[in-house]
Amino acid sequence: MTDRPGEDSRALTARQLTALVVARATSCAGFFAVLPYLGLWLVEAHGLSGADAGLVVGAAILANRAGGVLLVPLIHRLGLKASVGAGYLGAVVAFALLGMGLQLPASGWLVLAALVGLFLAMATTAMKAQVAAFAPDQRLRGFSYLNMAVNAGSAVGPVIGGFLLEWHASSLPLSAAALDLVALAVVPALPGAWRAPESPRPAGGGGRGRWLPQRRFVAFSLLVCGTWVAYAQVFDVLPAYLGDAVSTRDLGLVFTLNAVLVVALQVPVSALSRRVLNRPRAGFAVLCAAANAVLAAAVLLFAFGRSAGLGLILGAMVLFTLSELVWSPLYDAQVGERRGQLSTTAAYALAGVAWGAAESVGAWLGTLLVVRRSGPEALSPAAAPYWGAAALALLTGLAMSWGGRRTTDKPLGGREGNAHVVDVSAGS
C-alpha cells in the first residue's frame, strides 16, 4: 500500500540504483565529452564560422535545458521507462549522425545538436520522475545517487573529449554515441514497467491539473533560483574572475576536487541528510538554511581568490561541495513533494527550465561584471557577483527554511495525482 497515488513505498534495490548511476553517468559523460569542444570541432573539421558554431552549441544547451517541457506530452504517452529508453536511443542516433562526416550547412548541424539536447532532456526528465515515484526518504536517496553520477560523468566527459580531439577528432561524437549506448543497455534494470498505466485523474479537475502549477510549487521553484544564481558564480564565472591569478592547471585541480568529493561523499552526506529530515520538527528548514549558509560562506571565500592564493580557493571549493551535496538532491526530492496536482513529469520539466534559466542569467550577469574589471582586492568591483551571490544564498536559505516549517510528508496543496504509477519489482 503506498502513501499517495503513484508513490511506491518500497526501497530502491541495489540493481536499480546501479542502473540509475550507470545510465546517468555515461550519458552525462557523452554529452560533456562533446559539448565543450563542439564549437571548435565544427570550425576546424567542418569549416563553420565562429558565429555559426556558437549558434549550434547554444541550440544544444537550450534544447537540453528546455526540452523536457516540450516533450512532457510524449513522455506521458510513452510512459517513464520507455521515455528514458527512447531518449537514449535518440541521442545515440543523433551523435552517430554528427560523427558520420556529413557535409551539412550550419542549419543542419544546429538541428542535430538540438536533437541531442532534446533526447537527453527527455531521458533525464523521465528518470527524475521515476525516482520521484518513491516514498520521500527513497527519493532523496535516489536523487543523491543521480547527483553523484552527474558529477562523475561531467568530470570524466571533458577528459575523454579532450583526448579524442587531440588523437582522432572525427571520432568525438561517436564516443558520445557509444557512451549513450551503454546508458541504453542498462535501461531494462531501471525502476518501473515499460508501459506504466496512468493513475486516475483527480475528480472534477479533468486533465488540466497535470499542466497547471499551483502557487506553492511556483514559489518554491522561484526561490530555489537564488541558489542556482549563486552556483553559477562558481561553475560558470570563476574561471573569468580568477583570470591570470590562477593557472589553468590549478583551476582544473579545483574543479576536479569538486567532482572527487561528490563521488566520495554524496552517499554518506545523503544518509545524514535523511536522518535530519526524519527529525520530528523542521528537518527541511534546518537542512536548507544550513546548506545555503555554507554556500554563502564558500562564495565569499572565492571573492578573496585573486589575492589569497590556491589554498583558500581549494578550501572554498570544499565548502561549496559540502553545500551542493545537500541542496542539489534535496531540491530535486522536494519537487516531487511540492508539485500539487501537477504531473511528476511536468513538475521536473518546469523546475528544470526555471533553474536552468536562473543559472544562465547568473552566469551572464556575473561574467558581465567580472570581465574587464581590475583589482585583486575582495572589495573590488570584480568581486561584486560573489558578495551578491552570498547575500542571495543567505536570503534563499532563510526564505526556504521559513516555508519548510510547513513541509510534511503530506502533499502540499491538496491530494496529488501522478501521471504514472511506477511498478518497481525486485526483478525489473
Side-chain angles (χ1 to χ4, degrees):
M1 193 75 179
T2 58
D3 298 326
R4 292 185 293 179
E7 183 177 284
D8 197 312
S9 60
R10 288 174 288 178
L12 284 159
T13 67
R15 181 171 181 251
Q16 291 162 352
L17 284 171
T18 301
L20 286 168
V21 169
V22 171
R24 198 76 175 95
T26 53
S27 62
C28 281
F31 187 64
F32 286 103
V34 172
L35 186 67
Y37 312 106
L38 181 58
L40 178 63
W41 180 75
L42 288 170
V43 169
E44 293 189 349
H46 295 280
L48 266 66
S49 67
D52 286 342
L55 285 175
V56 173
V57 174
I61 295 172
L62 179 62
N64 187 248
R65 289 292 193 184
V69 171
L70 300 176
L71 295 173
V72 165
L74 180 60
I75 295 172
H76 282 163
R77 182 175 296 275
L78 292 178
L80 298 180
K81 193 166 185 174
S83 295
V84 175
Y88 288 144
L89 178 60
V92 169
V93 173
F95 275 127
L97 289 173
L98 278 171
M100 285 178 62
L102 302 175
Q103 296 301 316
L104 299 173
S107 59
W109 296 114
L110 187 148
V111 169
L112 285 179
L115 285 175
V116 166
L118 281 172
F119 282 124
L120 290 176
M122 179 182 186
T124 299
T125 302
M127 185 179 291
K128 286 187 174 184
Q130 283 182 309
V131 175
F134 284 83
D137 62 328
Q138 293 301 310
R139 280 187 212 136
L140 184 59
R141 184 184 182 210
F143 284 121
S144 299
Y145 275 84
L146 288 183
N147 187 50
M148 179 178 65
V150 167
N151 280 272
S154 59
V156 171
V159 175
I160 296 173
F163 173 76
L164 288 175
L165 199 65
E166 292 289 332
W167 176 64
H168 200 273
S170 62
S171 62
L172 183 63
L174 296 179
S175 68
L179 287 165
D180 280 311
L181 197 59
V182 174
L184 180 62
V186 301
V187 168
L190 292 175
W194 280 105
R195 186 67 178 94
E198 291 196 356
S199 58
R201 295 180 179 179
R208 292 180 300 169
R210 299 196 308 175
W211 301 93
L212 300 177
Q214 295 176 329
R215 181 179 60 84
R216 295 192 185 205
F217 176 80
V218 173
F220 166 74
S221 299
L222 293 179
L223 283 174
V224 169
C225 289
T227 303
W228 281 104
V229 170
Y231 171 92
Q233 307 316 307
V234 178
F235 259 84
D236 302 311
V237 180
L238 191 62
Y241 173 66
L242 294 178
D244 296 333
V246 176
S247 68
T248 303
R249 185 189 66 180
D250 288 342
L251 192 59
L253 175 64
V254 172
F255 287 105
T256 299
L257 175 64
N258 170 261
V260 170
L261 287 177
V262 169
V263 174
L265 298 180
Q266 182 67 81
V267 173
V269 169
S270 295
L272 178 61
S273 296
R274 290 200 299 274
R275 285 198 290 271
V276 174
L277 280 174
N278 287 332
R279 290 175 56 186
R281 298 180 61 186
F284 173 79
V286 170
L287 273 180
C288 194
N292 278 280
V294 174
L295 175 61
V299 293
L300 275 182
L301 289 179
F302 280 122
F304 292 87
R306 283 186 169 186
S307 57
L310 182 61
L312 181 71
I313 296 171
L314 289 172
M317 182 55 80
V318 171
L319 284 179
F320 172 83
T321 306
L322 291 174
S323 167
E324 182 190 6
L325 290 172
V326 175
W327 63 256
S328 181
L330 182 65
Y331 287 162
D332 274 333
Q334 285 291 308
V335 170
E337 287 291 297
R338 297 169 181 255
R339 61 189 174 86
Q341 299 289 350
L342 199 64
S343 78
T344 310
T345 308
Y348 281 99
L350 290 171
V353 170
W355 300 346
E359 183 185 353
S360 298
V361 170
W364 170 76
L365 185 59
T367 303
L368 181 68
L369 294 173
V370 162
V371 172
R372 298 189 179 93
R373 299 295 198 280
S374 60
E377 300 84 6
L379 295 178
S380 68
Y386 293 89
W387 289 93
L392 189 57
L394 285 175
L395 290 173
T396 299
L398 288 174
M400 294 293 291
S401 65
W402 179 260
R405 295 177 190 277
R406 302 178 59 185
T407 301
T408 67
D409 286 347
K410 295 180 181 179
L412 294 174
R415 183 174 177 268
E416 293 187 17
N418 191 355
H420 299 280
V421 177
V422 181
D423 173 22
V424 191
S425 61
S428 67

